[in-house]
Amino acid sequence: MLRGFRNFLMRGDVIVVAVGLIVALAFSTLIKAFTDYVINPVIARAQGGTSPGLGWQLGKPGNAATYLDIGAFVSALIYFVVFMAVVYFLIVLPYKRSQARRGVTVFGDPVPAKTCPACLADDVPKAAGKCRYCGTVQV
């Protein structure tokens, strides 16, 4: 039972989806900080309030809604970079090593591809004799 669960977890697509979700969560934090502390103050320029920090006051002094808080955005950016480094070094690299021992290549370089002159598909493998989409003979 545990062997089956381990095999399920070590499938490539499960790990890829997990890493994708983690990246999406971290990226959403970065986007939220950018909108909350950079975009929103520009939009709310006409309102009042107060907020100290690294940035510029766009409206009345003391107006938190019009404070361009660069410090919060830089903090979120640093968080994103550190979080992605942790994910890479603690999840991706050990998984790559584990799969390499099994003879499976994951998170590798993309396969060299060419563009089909007939249908303009740009993901036809270099060694392909025919396009997988339109069937045109490749030269």
Side-chain angles (χ1 to χ4, degrees):
M1 183 169 104
L2 289 178
R3 184 176 307 162
F5 183 66
R6 181 190 59 133
N7 290 341
F8 168 74
L9 287 178
M10 295 308 287
R11 286 182 31 187
D13 51 349
V14 173
I15 297 296
V16 169
V17 168
V19 169
L21 287 174
I22 291 169
V23 169
L25 285 170
F27 196 67
S28 73
T29 303
L30 183 64
I31 296 297
K32 182 173 179 356
F34 181 72
T35 56
D36 286 350
Y37 301 110
V38 177
I39 301 298
N40 289 348
V42 172
I43 294 171
R45 167 80 167 77
Q47 298 174 357
T50 179
S51 175
L54 175 64
W56 298 275
Q57 185 68 47
L58 301 176
K60 283 185 185 178
N63 183 354
T66 60
Y67 187 74
L68 190 69
D69 195 352
I70 300 299
F73 180 68
V74 169
S75 174
L77 186 62
I78 291 169
Y79 168 80
F80 177 76
V81 170
V82 169
F83 194 79
M84 288 298 99
V86 168
V87 167
Y88 181 74
F89 289 112
L90 296 182
I91 295 175
V92 174
L93 283 183
Y95 179 71
K96 281 175 70 170
R97 279 190 222 111
S98 143
Q99 292 298 83
R101 281 183 284 188
R102 295 175 64 200
V104 179
T105 303
V106 292
F107 300 114
D109 294 330
V111 177
K114 59 184 173 185
T115 302
C116 174
C119 69
L120 301 178
D122 61 352
D123 61 343
V124 179
K126 288 258 187 213
K130 285 186 175 183
C131 175
R132 71 177 88 180
Y133 302 107
C134 67
T136 305
V137 175
Q138 301 295 306
V139 222

